[in-house]
Each structure stands twice: as C-alpha cells, then as structure tokens.
Amino acid sequence: MNARIFLTQLLGALGLIVILGFNVIIMDWWERKLVGHIHRRPGPMHTGWHGILQPFADMLKMLSKEDIVPDRADRLFFWLGPAVAVVPAFMALAVLPLAPGFALADIGNGLFFVFAMQTIMPFGYTLIGWSGHNKWSLVGALRSAAQLISYEIPMLIVALGILLAAGSARLTDIVNAQSTVWYAVKQPIGLLIFFITAVAEMNRSPFDMPEAESELVAGIHTEYAGMKFGLVMMAEYTAMLVGSWMIVLLFLGGWHLWPLPPSPVWLVLKLYLVQSGIIWLRGTYLRLRVDTMMEMSWKYLIPASLANLMLVGVLATTFKGF
Amino acid sequence: MFGQGLLKGLSVTGRRMLGKTECDMYPYRKRVLPPKSRIFLSMRATPDGKALCNACLTCQQGCPDNVIRIEQDPEDRKRAVSFRVNSGRCTFCGICEENCPRHALTFTQDFERATFDKGTLTYALIADGTATGACVIVERTEPEHPASAEGGEDVG
Amino acid sequence: MGLIENAERPNFILTTIDTLLRWGRSHSLWWCNAGSACCSLEFAAMGGARYDMDRIGSGLVRASPRQSDVLLIPGPITKKMAPIFVRVYNQMPDPKWVIAMGSCAISGGAFRESYSMTRGADTVLPVDVYVPGCPVRPEALFYGLLKLRARVRGTSNIGLAHREPIYVPPDLPPEWEAEVREFLGEHEAC
Ligand code: SF4
Ligand code: SF4
Ligand code: SF4
C-alpha cells in the first residue's frame, strides 16, 4: 500500500473516533435536555452553560467507579461484548459519506456493507446480555436478538426499493439521485417503514425491549458497572448515529437541499434533526409489549414493505427517471 | 383514523418541548407552603425565655411514637425543666399540637433538617427551664389559639 | 480508582485529579431507589417536573444497583428484607452513599415497636444523610441530596482507605447474622 494513502486512512480513522466521541457527548447532553423540556423541566443546569459539561461529569464518575465483574460471568465475553457492539457501528461509519465522495471508503457496495455491519450488532448485544450470568440480562439479550433480526427484514426490503430506483448501491450515487426531489417524497411509505425499523434497530424507545426497565431490571446491561456501562451507552448512541445517517442518506437527500447548493452542512443538520426526532419519540410513546412488537414486524411491516417494493418497481419501469 | 392518537401525542409533547419550563428551582426559589403544613415541632415562648408549656404531659402521653420527653420540675410540677423532641421518630400527625391545652406547641414550616448525624435530630425546646432558640417567640403571655384569633371556634 | 484512594500523601497531580473527580462525582449522583414504603412516592414527586433533580445531574434512577451511586432507603426496613438491602448495597460499586429518608428509615418511626422491623436503616447499612419527615417533603429530600453533594464535593479522596469489599452489618442478632452471611456466601457475586 502506498504510504500516503495509508496515512490519510489512518488520519481518517482517528477523525472518525473523534466524531464518534463528540457525537456521544453531544447526544447525551442533548437527550437529557430535550427529554427534560418535554417534561417541562430544564434538565441539567449546573455543569457549565446549561449543563453542557454534564457528559464529562458522568464520564469522570464512571471512569472512577469500582469495576465489578460478577463472579460467575464469562470474563472474556464480558469484556468483549461492548466492543463487539461498538466496532460494527464504527465500521459502518467508515463507508458513510459526508460529502460527495468524501468518506473513508466510498465503496461500490456501501449500502450492503452498512446493513451487513448492522447485522453484527445484535451479536454484540447478545454477548453483553449472556456473559453477565444474570437471568434478566439473558432475557434482554434474547429479546434484543429476536427484535433486531425481525426488524432487519422490512428494513432491507425497503432499501431494495431505493436500490431499484437509484440503480446503484454506492451511497454517493444514491444521494446524488436525489439532487432535486428526495426519495422521501417519491417513496413516503418506504420512509415510514424505514424510520420505524431504524428506530427498532437502534433499540430506542418505544422499541427498547432489551432495556425494559419496568420488566427486566436494566435489561442487557444489568451487570455492567462503571466505564463498561459507559461503553454500552456509547454503542447505543453510535447505533443511533448510523441509523439516522442512513435515513438521511437514503431518504432525506443527504447533502442536497434543493435549490440551495449541496453542502455537508445540510447533512449534519438533517442528521441531528432526525436524532432529535428520535428523542422526541422517546419522550412521547410508551414501550411496546414484546409480542405486539414482533407482531408489528411480521404481520404488518414485512407485507407493507413488500407492497412498497412492488409499487416502486412498477413506477420505476413505467416512468423514466423515477 | 389509524395513527391519529400517535400524531396527537407527538403534537402535545412537541408543544411542551417548545414551551416554557415550569420548574420550582428549589434551592433558589422556595414555594410558600400551605398554612397548615406540619413540619417540625416548635414551642411558643415569650421574649424573656418563658415557654407557654405548663408540663401537663398531655402531649407526651398522647404521642404515638414517644417523640416527646418532658422532665417536670420536682418543686413546681407546673414547670418543665426540659422538653426534648426526637424528630427522627415523629410522624407529624399533629396530635400533640391539637391536644395541648395551652396551645403551646406549634409547627414551623422549616423543612431543611437533613443531617449527617442522627443525634442532631433530637433537639430541646426547653432546657434548664428556659425556652431555647428552637422556640417561636410570641408577645403575649396568655396564649390564644390561632383559630380563635381569626374568629373561628376555639376547639381547645 | 485505587490510585487516588490508596495514595500515601497528596501531590500536585493527585490533587488535580482529585478535584476533577470530586466535581464529576458530585454532579452525577445516580440513584438506586430501594422503594420500601410510602416515602418512595415523594421521591417520585421529586423526580418529576416540579422539583427536577436532573438539574444537578442526579436525574437518572438506574434500575440496576451496578450503575448507581446513591442508595435511597425510603421507608422502613423489615427484618426479613434487611439482608436483601445489604446485598443491594454490596452490589453497588464504590464509591457509594446511602440516604435514609423518612422517620421510618431513621429510627423505625411509626413501626418502631413492631416485632418485624429494624429500628432504623443505620442498624443495617452505613447511612450518610438522614432526611427527617413523614413523608419527607420533596424539597426536604432535595435539601438532603444537596447536603450529600456538598459532602462529596468537599471530601478529598486522597488516602481514603477503601471500604470492606463486602459489608456486613456490625451489630445484628446472631441468628440474623448467620442468615446474612449465608445469603452473601451463596448468592453474592461481587
Ligand atoms: S406530631 Fe404526632 S408523632 Fe410527632 S410529636 Fe406530635 S404526637 Fe408525636
Ligand atoms: S406542650 Fe402542651 S400538652 Fe405538652 S406538656 Fe406542655 S402544655 Fe402540656
Ligand atoms: S416515614 Fe412515613 S411516609 Fe415515610 S415510609 Fe415511614 S410511614 Fe411512610
């Protein structure tokens, strides 16, 4: 490998880590603020300007907590679990473009690469839940696996619709196909299904089955203390970032905001708007029951996504340039 | 229509999110408590350190939780030498205040009594025969029930 | 962080880290609510929008003791429940604090004479802050939290010896102590 390419790749990877940490810090604070305002209370106020340093206080505390590994836990997987959950999300970030062609690796099969990485995430969650030797976390892990697998199917079928319309699996091409009209306008059903399944994939409320605090003590991370819990939180926020980035790229036109000139600013703006929307959902809806949730995926979302795919196919063959 | 309720919920929380916050901001602003709040027992006393209590022991005997400990003066049975309240046991039922024939007991509205040391929750209202700083100073020697001052019926 | 607690004497680097740690810990006291009786509802009121404990960073009530810093005892501890409280306390990672809320947790309160009650949480756990009241007003509990926060902020961690890894209450009835030890020996996974 050429040394210059290697260096740029290395710098890019470091940059991604910085983005990741920055995003976790911002989202932790923003989520607490936003949920607070939904409850008509101000949220964190005493750490810096409007509590902006709150995530740092939490981080310092977590770092200095005693690190408990339960006696009967599987030590190796107890350590590995959070890493297996974070790394795929991080790898998915590597192919997500910020501007035309500006990604760590703008590969031709970007769409499938992201989904492949997302498929590894339930494995990480299952490890997290199983290794703690705790019945609640085990139930949470199994629920998480069932949920992620069953919501992946409609998500992929909807993504096939995008593939059909754009004619390419390269994420840059998909975004450039939406330079004037977004796929959100052309495929509104697709957007709805994709949004629901993406929220479910992130394990966010109202689909936070793995961490159902009213039923399973703290879900998959019942046994996680200190910074390892922080790592699990980081995995969840990163999954949220990847999911909303995919929504923005596939449906909301990425860096395009017609008629304004394309710019990465729009992408970042949309990204945080989508994430705020997801937090808004969390502040509004109650958690679904586990059986209703599975029912929703298998009985309604999969047929609807198939119908959406058929509709898109018909339209794409009838009208040129759909 | 299907999904109407979901949208309505979103609109409600959305309006809350953009609206004003309604927080008490406790340490900076304190709410005015309702007039009959029963928080921490106190005693009425005159400015020269004479408590209104005449050591009849009604409150001590009526208290369900053995909160009050009164020591009578052996020479003058109508005078309390010490009057100690263990507020760590009190359930703030108000029986003592209602039963006091001299209306000597009263409740203050000071709730900030959290402490690191359990022992400090026991405080004296009368020590060595004189009222302590925990007492409420009133001008008149002969007590009057607050209700009767407002023209209400004197239940004492 | 054994580094800070086990240090022999302070130096410049340690005190800087310690100041940072104290700042972080005092702004992020997460609760573990062992809701044993009615005072728990006042705690819920304090968590609500009117008193908003998230303002000072304590807004998260973690369901799992592994992720919490403050064990709240909102009510009486029955003798049967006491070993479980000890267990929950032992499951929390250091550093940890205990708040006894209400007359029941301070001294047994209304249930003091009962055959089945312990006389106060301090017979079972090392309590840091006592908040009197029955029920405690949400503001009063908030005041207790502020007091605890001031103590966390103001106490240097340097040279502070670690607590025992497993806490066993000192003065227990003999038969009850056997129960605690058996329980810990069998199930404790700290
Ligand atoms: S309020 Fe009730 S419990 Fe408290 S001292 Fe008076 S009688 Fe006793
Ligand atoms: S406070 Fe009232 S009831 Fe109690 S001993 Fe004194 S006079 Fe009697
Ligand atoms: S102190 Fe009063 S309100 Fe609190 S738990 Fe005991 S009886 Fe209930």
Side-chain angles (χ1 to χ4, degrees):
Chain A
M1 195 198 274
N2 189 317
R4 211 171 128 241
I5 296 179
F6 179 74
L7 260 184
T8 26
Q9 295 284 349
L10 198 68
L11 278 182
L14 285 181
L16 269 190
I17 292 177
V18 170
I19 290 179
L20 205 80
F22 185 73
N23 174 67
V24 170
I25 284 166
I26 287 286
M27 286 319 288
D28 186 10
W29 172 76
W30 183 232
E31 173 159 17
R32 280 170 85 163
K33 273 312 233 196
L34 215 55
V35 171
H37 277 269
I38 286 174
H39 298 161
R40 283 196 171 179
R41 59 189 174 80
M45 289 297 273
H46 285 238
T47 38
W49 179 81
H50 278 247
I52 185 90
L53 297 177
Q54 186 61 44
F56 291 100
D58 290 347
M59 214 163 65
L60 272 173
K61 183 204 71 176
M62 279 187 195
L63 273 173
S64 66
K65 284 293 258 190
E66 184 187 358
D67 191 27
I68 295 181
V69 180
D71 243 6
R72 280 176 238 179
D74 190 319
R75 282 182 170 262
L76 175 65
F77 290 133
F78 199 70
W79 274 104
L80 218 54
V84 175
V86 173
V87 168
F90 184 63
M91 304 233 307
L93 274 184
V95 300
L96 293 173
L98 188 66
F102 186 79
L104 205 54
D106 191 20
I107 57 175
N109 269 332
L111 187 62
F112 295 124
F113 184 81
V114 173
F115 285 124
M117 285 303 131
Q118 283 201 345
T119 319
I120 303 180
M121 269 186 235
F123 185 57
Y125 289 138
T126 318
L127 272 188
I128 290 174
W130 173 77
S131 61
H133 197 275
N134 180 314
K135 57 189 170 202
W136 309 115
S137 58
L138 184 62
V139 173
L142 295 179
R143 279 185 183 187
S144 144
Q147 167 188 343
L148 295 188
I149 288 169
S150 49
Y151 274 80
E152 220 139 63
I153 301 166
M155 194 176 189
L156 270 170
I157 296 175
V158 169
L160 281 185
I162 297 285
L163 194 65
L164 207 64
S168 166
R170 186 190 290 269
L171 289 168
T172 314
D173 292 347
I174 292 176
V175 175
N176 281 337
Q178 319 175 45
S179 55
T180 45
V181 186
W182 300 348
Y183 283 133
V185 182
K186 289 178 183 167
Q187 304 182 14
I189 306 170
L191 174 64
L192 190 66
I193 298 172
F194 196 87
F195 189 75
I196 293 172
T197 51
V199 173
E201 285 282 294
M202 297 166 207
N203 287 327
R204 296 286 306 182
S205 187
F207 302 102
D208 57 346
M209 274 295 110
E211 200 209 329
E213 281 182 340
S214 48
E215 305 152 32
L216 317 171
V217 179
I220 54 172
H221 36 63
T222 305
E223 292 291 347
Y224 277 79
M227 204 52 217
K228 285 212 265 334
F229 173 62
L231 271 182
V232 180
M233 291 242 289
M234 191 163 163
E236 287 181 356
Y237 280 117
T238 314
M240 185 162 150
L241 180 71
V242 172
S244 8
W245 205 321
M246 283 304 276
I247 293 173
V248 172
L249 288 182
L250 296 189
F251 287 96
L252 301 181
W255 46 80
H256 291 297
L257 192 69
W258 190 80
L260 298 169
S263 153
V265 176
W266 309 139
L267 189 134
V268 174
L269 204 68
K270 288 174 199 168
L271 201 56
Y272 282 95
L273 274 179
V274 170
Q275 297 201 47
S276 307
I278 291 166
I279 294 171
W280 184 12
L281 285 187
R282 181 196 148 183
T284 307
Y285 294 142
L286 309 174
R287 183 183 303 122
L288 263 69
R289 223 169 54 211
V290 66
D291 60 321
T292 33
M293 205 182 66
M294 300 307 261
E295 209 168 75
M296 183 168 154
S297 171
W298 293 101
K299 276 192 183 165
Y300 305 107
L301 289 184
I302 291 183
S305 60
L306 283 170
N308 175 56
L309 181 62
M310 223 149 70
L311 188 70
V312 170
V314 169
L315 287 174
T317 43
T318 322
F319 304 103
K320 258 246 171 301
F322 173 75
Chain B
M1 196 192 86
F2 176 75
Q4 214 171 7
L6 298 181
L7 291 181
K8 192 170 173 196
L10 274 184
S11 82
V12 168
T13 48
R15 262 183 281 132
R16 293 283 183 280
M17 183 162 57
L18 300 175
K20 235 171 75 232
T21 57
E22 291 176 358
C23 181
D24 250 21
M25 295 298 201
Y26 157 66
Y28 306 113
R29 270 186 269 140
K30 287 178 192 161
R31 282 171 75 211
V32 181
L33 301 186
K36 285 220 161 180
S37 314
R38 293 197 293 267
I39 310 169
F40 295 105
L41 211 52
S42 184
M43 165 115 22
R44 290 172 213 248
T46 49
D48 54 343
K50 195 167 173 303
L52 296 198
C53 171
N54 62 3
C56 69
L57 305 190
T58 313
C59 53
Q60 179 182 325
Q61 284 158 7
C63 175
D65 299 320
N66 293 329
V67 172
I68 300 171
R69 279 273 167 275
I70 304 171
E71 209 183 296
Q72 281 174 334
D73 189 345
E75 270 114 60
D76 180 5
R77 300 277 298 278
K78 285 200 165 187
R79 185 167 157 273
V81 178
S82 84
F83 188 113
R84 298 176 66 78
V85 178
N86 182 353
S87 60
R89 288 190 206 169
C90 184
T91 48
F92 305 94
C93 58
I95 291 174
C96 49
E97 184 204 22
E98 269 183 30
N99 283 352
C100 179
R102 303 256 309 157
H103 309 307
L105 288 176
T106 170
F107 283 103
T108 60
Q109 308 225 330
D110 162 32
F111 52 79
E112 294 178 332
R113 295 285 183 101
T115 166
F116 298 126
D117 179 10
K118 191 169 158 176
T120 59
L121 289 177
T122 305
Y123 56 95
L125 291 176
I126 301 175
D128 299 334
T130 43
T132 61
C135 293
V136 178
I137 305 297
V138 288
E139 285 303 322
R140 51 202 310 155
T141 338
E142 274 313 302
E144 196 177 337
H145 199 278
S148 63
E150 288 157 18
E153 193 184 339
D154 190 345
V155 288
Chain C
M1 284 279 268
L3 175 70
I4 299 280
E5 277 88 351
N6 294 339
E8 291 284 312
R9 56 204 170 78
N11 62 33
F12 172 69
I13 301 171
L14 282 188
T15 40
T16 315
I17 299 178
D18 184 52
T19 315
L20 266 176
L21 276 189
R22 281 189 273 146
W23 175 79
R25 282 177 183 169
S26 63
H27 280 99
S28 159
L29 293 168
W30 293 357
W31 297 92
C32 175
N33 179 15
S36 57
C38 20
C39 271
S40 182
L41 302 178
E42 298 299 318
F43 172 67
M46 182 186 141
R50 188 181 281 282
Y51 302 104
D52 187 20
M53 59 194 177
D54 203 16
R55 271 183 299 133
I56 58 171
S58 318
L60 274 80
V61 186
R62 297 301 309 174
S64 160
R66 297 266 191 230
Q67 294 139 20
S68 40
D69 312 292
V70 183
L71 176 62
L72 180 72
I73 304 175
I77 300 183
T78 58
K79 284 188 175 151
K80 194 158 186 177
M81 198 69 182
I84 307 199
F85 272 85
V86 175
R87 189 180 176 200
V88 167
Y89 179 74
N90 279 324
Q91 278 173 339
M92 288 165 60
D94 259 343
K96 50 195 169 188
W97 297 273
V98 179
I99 293 183
M101 178 185 185
S103 298
C104 292
I106 294 172
S107 65
F111 312 109
R112 190 176 164 79
E113 313 295 326
S114 167
Y115 66 94
S116 62
M117 292 291 173
T118 62
R119 293 189 169 186
D122 52 342
T123 59
V124 182
L125 293 173
V127 177
D128 287 282
V129 177
Y130 299 89
V131 189
C134 180
V136 173
R137 282 195 73 81
E139 292 111 315
L141 181 61
F142 208 115
Y143 181 73
L145 175 62
L146 289 177
K147 260 200 122 146
L148 177 65
R149 210 162 147 263
R151 176 182 249 198
V152 173
R153 189 83 187 259
T155 317
S156 166
N157 300 305
I158 296 174
L160 209 71
H162 256 282
R163 300 186 205 205
E164 290 291 306
I166 289 188
Y167 175 82
V168 177
D171 45 341
L172 292 180
E175 72 276 6
W176 189 38
E177 183 174 350
E179 192 185 343
V180 171
R181 286 194 187 277
E182 184 195 71
F183 202 28
L184 290 177
E186 264 188 27
H187 302 282
E188 183 49 43
C190 274

